[in-house]
Amino acid sequence: MDEIFKALADTSRRRLLDSLNARNGQTLRELCDGLDMARQSVSKHLAVLEAAGLVTTRRRGREKLHHLNAAPINAIADRWMSRYDRERASALADLKTALEQDPMTGSEFVYTTYIRTTPERLWQALTDPAFTRRYWGVTFETDWTPGSTITWNEENATIDDPEQVVLEADPPRRLSYTWHTFTPEWAKAVGVDEETRAKLLAEPRSTVSFDIEPAGETVKLTVVHEGGDALLDMSRHGWPSVVSGLKTLLETGEPLPTA
């Protein structure tokens, strides 16, 4: 955690994070264009931010894209804020953001964390209903073969659709699938109003991918959710909770306490 505070102490590094907050997934060239800093200086600052876990990168062809990673900030909040304090603070922060600035733009949400486990165990936790039910409250019915359909079970709602499919399955390295359909039954079960459901239905079906990489005694997990604005706004609140629950379950054997 000391690395996080040291990284945030520098004004230039905070400007880089602000730039990624405004538009996530930028290349080094794009970041340099938006800031009055030499390319070498930007590279050094990005290296510090990446070492602290505040920035994560991924390749797209020859390009290296930089993404703001919320996991370390979420860990700080977990350490010093109770669940209920976080909910109150989040509500005030959402109001402040709505009044003062435009929301984060971009077509994908990226979240990276490190879990003390093995790639095989993490793969099992992402696919086995016995695991997903405990930290996510969701189970999947599928054989995890690319092209196979996925039936989602969430909050007593069963969600079937031919476009809910496995896109990639390379155990224990990478998993990708399309997101579920926003049925009236699902909306009622999870408490989503019809106005929000209509916005979700108006967007193209989103996809989520999980990249699993060994990292010493831990495993690096990168979650990438690509979709429209309405769903990604929900994902920015939902994925930190899901991944924190996954990490806790794998490292302690017990799920996070519920409200």
Side-chain angles (χ1 to χ4, degrees):
M1 195 161 288
D2 288 343
E3 288 185 341
I4 300 172
F5 288 113
K6 288 178 181 178
L8 292 173
D10 185 271
T11 303
S12 295
R13 289 195 282 272
R14 293 199 299 272
R15 288 173 60 198
L16 282 168
L17 293 177
D18 286 338
S19 179
L20 290 174
N21 185 48
R23 185 166 63 86
N24 224 358
Q26 296 187 59
T27 63
L28 175 60
R29 177 183 57 78
E30 290 171 328
L31 287 167
C32 291
D33 289 343
L35 299 169
D36 186 21
M37 279 191 280
R39 184 185 182 93
Q40 185 177 9
S41 297
V42 173
S43 295
K44 289 181 178 179
H45 285 309
L46 285 172
V48 174
L49 291 169
E50 191 170 356
L54 291 162
V55 167
T56 187
T57 61
R58 69 190 193 99
R59 290 284 178 181
R60 186 179 65 188
R62 294 185 176 182
E63 293 183 321
K64 184 178 181 181
L65 304 182
H66 299 79
H67 295 267
L68 185 65
N69 182 35
I73 304 300
N74 191 60
I76 292 172
D78 281 341
R79 180 167 179 172
W80 283 300
M81 296 178 71
S82 72
R83 174 170 184 156
Y84 301 105
D85 287 336
R86 289 192 66 183
E87 289 174 354
R88 288 192 291 269
S90 177
L92 291 172
D94 287 346
L95 175 61
K96 183 177 186 291
T97 299
L99 292 173
E100 293 185 351
Q101 63 183 45
D102 295 328
M104 181 189 295
T105 58
S107 62
E108 59 187 21
F109 172 71
V110 180
Y111 193 91
T112 298
T113 192
Y114 292 82
I115 304 174
R116 188 178 294 276
T117 187
T118 65
E120 292 77 14
R121 188 70 167 165
L122 180 51
W123 179 272
Q124 183 183 12
L126 292 170
T127 57
D128 188 339
F131 275 92
T132 59
R133 183 185 295 110
R134 295 187 70 193
Y135 68 85
W136 195 347
V138 173
T139 62
F140 304 101
E141 297 176 32
T142 182
D143 61 6
W144 296 113
T145 300
S148 294
T149 58
I150 306 176
T151 297
W152 288 60
N153 299 291
E154 181 177 7
E155 298 289 346
N156 298 318
T158 300
I159 312 163
D160 286 303
D161 191 279
E163 292 187 14
Q164 295 172 189
V165 296
V166 180
L167 299 174
E168 298 178 64
D170 181 19
R173 290 181 288 272
R174 179 173 169 81
L175 177 67
S176 178
Y177 49 80
T178 59
W179 206 241
H180 63 74
T181 309
F182 306 110
T183 64
E185 294 76 17
W186 167 82
K188 182 179 179 181
V190 301
V192 170
D193 59 70
E194 277 301 302
E195 181 180 357
T196 301
R197 191 173 82 89
K199 291 179 181 178
L200 294 170
L201 288 172
E203 297 177 345
R205 189 179 297 271
S206 68
T207 64
V208 64
S209 63
F210 304 88
D211 288 307
I212 302 169
E213 305 172 54
E217 296 182 357
T218 66
V219 177
K220 179 183 178 182
L221 172 64
T222 301
V223 182
V224 180
H225 200 152
E226 301 180 71
D229 291 341
L231 181 60
L232 290 187
D233 185 58
M234 296 174 69
S235 297
R236 291 182 185 106
H237 292 83
W239 277 119
S241 177
V242 171
V243 176
S244 293
L246 167 64
K247 176 180 172 68
T248 300
L249 181 60
L250 284 172
E251 293 185 343
T252 71
E254 296 295 330
L256 284 173
T258 57

